[in-house]
Amino acid sequence: MTELAAECDVLVIGAGAAGLSAAYEAAADGNRVVVIDANARPGGQYHRRGVKDPPYFPAGTTDAQRWANIATYMGWQAYAADLDGDLVVVRLRGDERHRNDLHAVSTRVLVVATGAVDRQLAIPGWQRPGVMAGGGAQSLIKGSGVLPGRRTLVTGTGPFLLAVTAAIVQAGGEVAAVIEANQPRRLIRHAAQLMPTGLMKSGEALKFAAILARHRIPYLTGHRVTEIHGAEDDAAVASAVVHRVDEQWRPIEGSARTFEVDCVTLGFGFTAQLDLLMQLDCEAVQSADGGLAVCVDDNQMTSVPRVLAAGETTGVGGVDLAAVEGRIAGIQACHLLRTDGQRTQPDSKVMTGLYRRRGHLRRFAKALALSFPTPTAWVAEQTGDTMVCRCEEVSLTTVLEARDDLGATDARAIKLLTRAGMGWCQGRMCSYTVEGLCPGPTSVASQKAAANRPIGVPIPLGAVAKQGRA
Amino acid sequence: MSDPLCTVVIDGRPVQVSPGMSVAAAMMSTGLRAWRTTRHGQAPRGLFCGIGACFDCLVMLNGEPNVRACLVTVEPGDAITTQGGATND
Amino acid sequence: MPSGQNYDAIVIGAGVVGACCAHYLAEAGLCVGVVDRGSVAAGTTGAGEGNILVSDKEPGAELDLALLSQRLWTELIDVIGSACELEAKGGIAVGYDPSTFEHLQQFAAKQRDSGVIATEVTGGDLLALEPHLNPEVAGAIYYPQDMQTQPMLAAAHLIARGVRVGRITLHTNTDVVGIRQGDGGAVTGVETARETLWAPIVVNAAGTWGGQIAAMAGVEVPILPRRGFILVTEPLPTTVHRKVYSAQYVANVASDEASLQTAAVVEGTESGTILIGASRERVGFDRTRDWSIVSTLAAQALQLFPVLEKVALMRTYGGFRPYCPDHMPVIGPDARVPGLLHACGHEGAGVGLAAATGHVIAQSVMGQTTSIDLQPFAAERFGALHV
Ligand SMILES: Cc1cc2nc3c(=O)[nH]c(=O)nc-3n(C[C@H](O)[C@H](O)[C@H](O)COP(=O)(O)OP(=O)(O)OC[C@H]3O[C@@H](n4cnc5c(N)ncnc54)[C@H](O)[C@@H]3O)c2cc1C
Ligand SMILES: Cc1cc2nc3c(=O)[nH]c(=O)nc-3n(C[C@H](O)[C@H](O)[C@H](O)COP(=O)(O)OP(=O)(O)OC[C@H]3O[C@@H](n4cnc5c(N)ncnc54)[C@H](O)[C@@H]3O)c2cc1C
């Protein structure tokens, strides 16, 4: 592997749909473009097996030479980003086999395309072995060809449940049922917004419907998994209880049914990975799905100069939207770097087309988010020993005590008083649950505080100490 | 997955897995579902988020503790050891 | 009758100092309102460590206060102990070379005259106390009186206890925007963004923001922020048994330098993580981080505990210590404003000094002789005028 650059014109963090598209456009003027990704292979969460050809660009429109000029470094995780005068400095740690390798890259323009992680909510038994994030199961299958279990219950909300189901059955696994907490009639409310793009995607929907039919997989809407059981206390999954639920996802008494399964997947949408953007203090908003998203202007620029964002970081919207946003960000990166009028100007027809496509895809994403909302009030009504924080093993009772008896009014105080969110994952798994347990509506300030992780990945102290001497 | 298999050692037992798999996938392909216990409850944990965010799948790899099994690709001869929650020596 | 609630006393600030003030005022039989613009422990209490130290203080008024506080914290174990990780674990001040060790010995000798228990330990005895300590250090002083608590839990539980027995009312998310004053400037209550809360006694326990509260009553109390960072490691089995720090730490605590100072303070916590402090610098309320601080702290910690080399750094956090120009807190009634008392400006020792602060504030409010002479802590010592 070639030596990692210390400087570049455009640094792209994330080699998913957004990051790769951005990198390709950003390299247009002969800019030195560097792409970093924590994974072993480029492609992001969608293309788990890696990407061979330039993706996301119509055939014949890409130029192999330009791709060759983009330096891609896999197996590096960016853990910190700071402004340094006119530059942005991003700090990287080597992969799990090279945790002592630290490196810093200074860049003139930064594009953050770090994607998202499955959003989770605490449910009794969700810490048992055999329970997996829906996306996690998907990436296990796509990336390694291994099934998450023999017989799986796919649960949560949103069309992504169908993608998980398809992946499992196509890999030869069995899906006991798909448990969708929302009611499809919600889709009708947002039909107008869903229409144009929805038609484009209807092929996909038909494919999923065919898979469900062929494998006789029940698709239960308005149902939610309420308990996950094992043979004994901490044992792996043996069964799961599903209830019919109301609009707020509260279980309806007497509607329980049990599925014998050895795997349950959970997926309640996605949470954007904003570590670097929050460290840089970029402005953020709550998007339609209730999650935090970084604010960007028409050209994907954040509130911090020279810092752009694309893909799920700007609001969860799927792979196609990510690719379009990435292209716009890459074009804008070139524009920011351009000092003489000589270099290539973006073709205004191309730009208009990209803006329009992005607009359609965003409206579609928003309508989907509104059709598949994730309410949280029910979380507090579960049994007290439900584990809220998996890392520090903090129970629901402990969190409610902090809220009701100890004066904790926000997620930060709950964390300080209970340790929920202080463990290995730094709140990545429990923050949506904890926000939902706080009194009152979730504020952006509170979400920003939860998403601000000063160090994105653990680093050995010895390596940190040496860094000072360098 | 037509590539020849490679051998890794899981808790002292040699097993054949496909190259290109993650360490987590390799363990799951042998039927393991959990390979670490938690610090307080000594509860078993395995693969959860699958993409390096949850740190549930920590494992000892070639003597190094707390490696995220979902993020590393197996290499021939890897010694993979299940671990307790707060191991560090 | 004007709207709003009536209290015997109002404490502004639900940090560890405000919580202790409220606790002792409630114990004295008063009905207390605690007001904070955030949650409990929203300020520096939620951003620091929880050492209760006598070891780092020179003989004088602050050490006397610290010794009293250390005794009171021991009593508080009975009140809230198990809930707030209060632990008498002892502190160890380490001298790397013979000359710093000698310096430490002289410092300890002076402290002993004020009632501090300080034992010289070297070689095998030192390693018996702290098995993973760098064996090459020249020697150390062991301070068995040093304790540790989890300050956010301590603050929250002290207030919660008062709430349970009906003596304390907690107003969170309530910003104090003014101090109500009546005849002769005597306080009559506080103005919040929502309502007026009435009381003849107002305790300013607003920490680093105590100067702003004082200004609302027309007086100046010069409190400035002194920034500090802490590193937090992954959770480990017990590796560091006590609070261990290098001799340089004591010098830094007392220093007047505005520029960055670091000296390793390493301690284990009940949750298994190790906390590595502490930097000190005066940069206003600037939160911009500086990676050189992080790597310097890491290097200094490894010098004390080489065993931590491979241990992962998980996060950093930091806050702004409330600091006065002479490094002494402001405690007691403000002679310029009847009914106003200050309990702020404790810099890097607010947790340690909180119990004694609350105790003497309550004594003062109840018209009793205070256990400690408050003259050295008086707000008027800065010679400030009415503003
Ligand atoms: C586990 C998972 C599985 C999914 N599977 C599917 C699917 O099968 N079908 C589908 O339509 N959608 C799937 N999605 C939704 C997915 O988010 C989008 O479809 C799409 O991948 C978004 O593209 P992106 O470029 O914004 O982000 P991603 O594709 O997520 O790419 C982001 C990249 O950034 C890297 N990265 C993140 N943080 C850092 C860092 N700090 N340092 C270095 N690199 C970093 C990641 O390794 C990743 O490769 C999945 C999401 C998740 C979380
Ligand atoms: C890195 C670091 C390490 C430290 N380590 C130690 C240690 O080991 N031992 C030790 O003893 N000390 C330590 N300290 C110092 C200690 O944290 C402080 O001295 C102590 O927390 C101060 O407590 P307080 O209650 O006075 O202030 P705070 O905790 O700041 O409480 C003041 C409260 O007032 C509220 N407030 C302010 N203005 C208003 C207003 N207008 N209206 C309503 N409410 C308001 C704030 O929201 C805040 O909650 C450390 C500090 C730092 C930064």
Side-chain angles (χ1 to χ4, degrees):
Chain A
M1 183 154 122
T2 45
E3 180 95 7
L4 226 163
E7 283 165 21
C8 61
D9 296 317
V10 182
L11 176 62
V12 180
I13 309 295
L20 290 176
S21 305
Y24 181 77
E25 295 289 2
D29 287 343
N31 294 320
R32 291 167 304 159
V33 178
V34 171
V35 182
I36 298 291
D37 197 296
N39 266 330
R41 288 182 287 240
Q45 302 307 351
Y46 190 81
H47 302 275
R48 295 297 307 191
R49 288 245 137 234
V51 281
K52 282 191 210 79
D53 302 314
Y56 315 115
F57 293 86
T61 63
T62 60
D63 149 13
Q65 185 56 47
R66 210 202 283 177
W67 277 109
N69 284 340
I70 301 170
T72 306
Y73 299 94
M74 302 308 294
W76 287 91
Q77 183 158 354
Y79 65 86
D82 298 276
L83 295 180
D84 179 14
D86 286 343
L87 299 173
V88 189
V89 181
V90 177
R91 288 168 198 276
L92 312 171
R93 197 208 75 177
D95 66 21
E96 295 294 287
R97 288 183 196 271
H98 304 91
R99 292 183 289 188
N100 281 304
D101 295 357
L102 302 186
H103 190 79
V105 185
S106 295
T107 183
R108 294 167 70 197
V109 176
L110 175 68
V111 180
V112 179
T114 45
V117 300
D118 285 271
R119 184 160 72 182
Q120 293 300 337
L121 282 165
I123 288 165
W126 73 307
Q127 73 280 11
R128 291 181 183 280
V131 181
M132 277 197 72
Q138 175 90 320
S139 64
L140 178 68
I141 297 165
K142 282 202 204 172
S144 295
V146 172
L147 281 166
R150 273 189 298 273
R151 186 171 144 87
T152 301
L153 192 65
V154 175
T155 81
T157 190
F160 187 60
L161 302 187
L162 299 172
V164 174
T165 305
I168 293 173
V169 297
Q170 278 163 359
E174 185 190 346
V175 171
V178 180
I179 309 298
E180 162 64 63
N182 282 302
Q183 289 288 2
R185 62 169 176 273
R186 280 184 167 273
L187 279 170
I188 293 156
R189 276 183 229 162
H190 304 283
Q193 278 73 37
L194 286 167
M195 243 3 230
T197 315
L199 278 178
M200 261 170 38
K201 299 212 175 219
S202 57
E204 219 171 30
L206 287 175
K207 186 186 86 187
F208 290 142
I211 288 172
L212 290 180
R214 179 154 17 97
H215 295 269
R216 298 181 199 287
I217 300 169
Y219 181 56
L220 302 182
T221 60
H223 281 71
R224 180 169 70 74
V225 62
T226 47
E227 283 162 47
I228 301 167
H229 294 291
E232 54 204 78
D233 259 5
D234 294 316
V237 178
S239 66
V241 179
V242 168
H243 274 86
R244 198 146 52 76
V245 291
D246 66 14
E247 282 230 328
Q248 288 306 309
W249 293 16
R250 291 197 164 90
I252 290 163
E253 231 176 290
S255 69
R257 43 198 286 200
T258 301
F259 290 85
E260 310 280 315
V261 288
D262 66 345
C263 176
V264 175
T265 68
L266 301 173
F268 303 96
F270 296 94
T271 300
Q273 302 212 71
L274 301 175
D275 299 9
L276 302 173
L277 295 160
M278 292 303 104
Q279 290 167 1
L280 289 163
D281 206 17
C282 296
E283 272 171 35
V285 282
Q286 216 167 75
S287 48
D289 64 1
L292 196 67
V294 69
C295 296
V296 286
D297 70 3
D298 281 350
N299 293 315
Q300 304 295 136
M301 303 228 290
T302 70
S303 61
V304 174
R306 293 177 294 283
V307 177
L308 287 73
E312 308 290 56
T313 53
T314 72
V316 172
V319 68
D320 297 328
L321 177 58
V324 179
E325 289 194 354
R327 287 192 66 180
I328 297 172
I331 291 167
Q332 178 65 11
C334 280
H335 181 72
L336 289 173
L337 291 170
R338 203 169 291 140
T339 46
D340 52 36
Q342 299 300 319
R343 301 189 179 183
T344 53
Q345 288 291 339
D347 178 339
S348 69
K349 253 197 4 239
V350 171
M351 289 313 285
T352 315
L354 289 174
Y355 289 151
R356 189 179 320 118
R357 185 158 160 70
R358 182 182 60 188
H360 284 312
L361 289 166
R362 278 193 184 158
R363 277 190 295 281
F364 181 72
K366 184 172 176 192
L368 268 191
L370 296 174
S371 307
F372 297 95
T374 303
T376 54
W378 55 272
V379 176
E381 295 155 16
Q382 301 180 104
T383 160
D385 58 6
T386 306
M387 199 167 281
V388 170
C389 168
R390 303 167 66 91
C391 303
E392 294 294 308
E393 302 171 75
V394 181
S395 72
L396 179 61
T397 301
T398 305
V399 171
L400 294 181
E401 261 168 25
R403 182 190 76 180
D404 299 334
D405 304 336
L406 293 180
T409 62
D410 55 26
R412 175 177 184 262
I414 286 180
K415 170 168 145 182
L416 292 176
L417 296 179
T418 69
R419 301 196 57 79
M422 274 201 190
W424 277 110
C425 90
Q426 295 287 295
R428 289 176 173 94
M429 296 301 115
C430 68
S431 64
Y432 194 66
T433 302
V434 173
E435 293 285 355
L437 292 172
C438 289
T442 302
S443 74
V444 169
S446 171
Q447 284 183 308
K448 278 186 76 170
N452 190 355
R453 301 184 181 88
I455 298 180
V457 62
I459 319 163
L461 276 175
V464 178
K466 278 197 204 83
Q467 194 186 27
R469 273 176 247 139
Chain B
M1 298 228 148
S2 54
D3 309 331
L5 297 177
C6 76
T7 306
V8 299
V9 180
I10 300 178
D11 281 336
R13 197 166 48 95
V15 288
Q16 303 251 294
V17 299
S18 307
M21 270 188 176
S22 68
V23 167
M27 284 187 286
M28 289 185 70
S29 73
T30 71
L32 266 178
R33 316 215 74 189
W35 45 84
R36 153 172 108 91
T37 54
T38 58
R39 217 150 29 95
H40 303 297
Q42 272 74 51
R45 294 287 168 83
L47 191 62
F48 180 67
C49 85
I51 59 166
C54 78
F55 291 78
D56 256 13
C57 68
L58 299 181
V59 74
M60 178 99 74
L61 181 63
N62 300 323
E64 295 286 329
N66 300 330
V67 169
R68 285 175 286 176
C70 66
L71 286 188
V72 223
T73 310
V74 287
E75 277 176 17
D78 272 345
I80 304 164
T81 323
T82 55
Q83 69 167 53
T87 323
N88 216 293
D89 39 20
Chain C
M1 187 64 203
S3 77
Q5 290 175 54
N6 282 289
Y7 295 107
D8 298 328
I10 289 169
V11 176
I12 304 171
V16 68
V17 174
C20 284
C21 291
H23 169 73
Y24 286 104
L25 288 168
E27 291 283 285
L30 302 193
C31 223
V32 186
V34 177
V35 189
D36 202 293
R37 63 180 170 200
S39 195
V40 283
T44 314
T45 299
E49 290 175 85
N51 296 304
I52 298 169
L53 301 188
V54 298
S55 58
D56 64 340
K57 294 181 182 58
E58 260 181 294
E62 200 191 357
L63 179 56
D64 296 341
L65 190 68
L67 282 163
L68 170 64
S69 212
Q70 189 264 338
R71 277 202 302 281
L72 292 168
W73 272 117
T74 313
E75 289 170 22
L76 288 176
I77 292 187
D78 296 334
V79 182
I80 50 160
S82 68
C84 67
E85 303 175 12
L86 196 60
E87 204 187 336
K89 53 162 39 179
I92 296 176
V94 173
Y96 285 113
D97 50 63
S99 86
T100 40
F101 182 39
E102 201 184 304
H103 193 82
L104 279 176
Q105 287 168 311
Q106 287 159 4
F107 188 68
K110 284 193 287 175
Q111 290 173 311
R112 276 188 208 109
D113 295 337
S114 301
V116 173
I117 304 169
T119 328
E120 286 162 27
V121 271
T122 52
D125 293 344
L126 182 50
L127 293 181
L129 280 176
E130 205 56 69
H132 295 288
L133 186 69
N134 185 347
E136 279 160 29
V137 304
I141 311 288
Y142 173 51
Y143 293 95
Q145 288 157 308
D146 283 355
M147 304 199 294
Q148 179 181 318
T149 186
Q150 207 274 35
M152 313 102 196
L153 283 174
H157 279 278
L158 281 173
I159 293 173
R161 185 171 179 276
V163 171
R164 264 199 313 276
V165 299
R167 289 255 174 242
I168 295 178
T169 306
L170 176 62
H171 299 261
T172 48
N173 296 329
T174 308
D175 217 326
V176 171
V177 294
I179 305 287
R180 282 270 181 151
Q181 289 170 272
D183 291 344
V187 301
T188 55
V190 303
E191 205 76 66
T192 76
R194 243 176 268 158
E195 56 179 345
T196 307
L197 302 172
W198 302 96
I201 300 287
V202 170
V203 180
N204 170 17
T208 314
W209 304 271
Q212 295 167 15
I213 300 294
M216 292 176 194
V219 288
E220 195 186 337
V221 172
I223 295 177
L224 295 165
R226 196 178 185 195
R227 183 168 81 164
F229 279 108
I230 307 275
L231 314 188
V232 188
T233 71
E234 63 181 285
L236 301 174
T238 310
T239 310
V240 177
H241 297 258
R242 294 156 218 285
K243 175 207 166 76
V244 182
Y245 57 87
S246 68
Q248 184 59 33
Y249 177 76
V250 181
N252 288 356
V253 169
S255 160
D256 285 324
E257 286 287 310
S259 60
L260 172 68
Q261 295 156 312
T262 54
V265 184
V266 183
E267 63 176 295
T269 62
E270 207 171 283
S271 58
T273 55
I274 290 176
L275 305 183
I276 300 168
S279 61
R280 287 160 198 275
E281 60 190 320
R282 301 207 316 262
V283 290
F285 282 106
D286 185 356
R287 287 206 172 265
T288 320
R289 75 172 145 199
D290 176 349
W291 281 95
S292 66
I293 299 178
V294 177
S295 55
T296 308
L297 284 173
Q300 290 174 342
L302 291 179
Q303 209 180 349
L304 281 172
F305 290 98
V307 67
L308 301 180
E309 171 92 22
K310 283 176 152 188
V311 167
L313 169 65
M314 301 258 299
R315 60 195 177 95
T316 64
Y317 66 92
F320 301 95
R321 302 179 184 88
Y323 125 91
C324 289
D326 60 358
H327 302 287
M328 295 266 278
V330 182
I331 304 171
D334 192 315
R336 299 162 296 187
V337 184
L340 177 67
L341 292 93
H342 300 290
C344 51
H346 294 73
E347 202 173 328
V351 182
L353 300 177
T357 302
H359 183 68
V360 297
I361 286 286
Q363 287 177 321
S364 175
V365 166
M366 303 310 287
Q368 300 161 357
T369 318
T370 54
S371 306
I372 288 212
D373 176 19
L374 295 183
Q375 202 54 45
F377 305 107
E380 301 81 12
R381 70 182 189 268
F382 304 105
L385 308 163
H386 266 62
V387 284

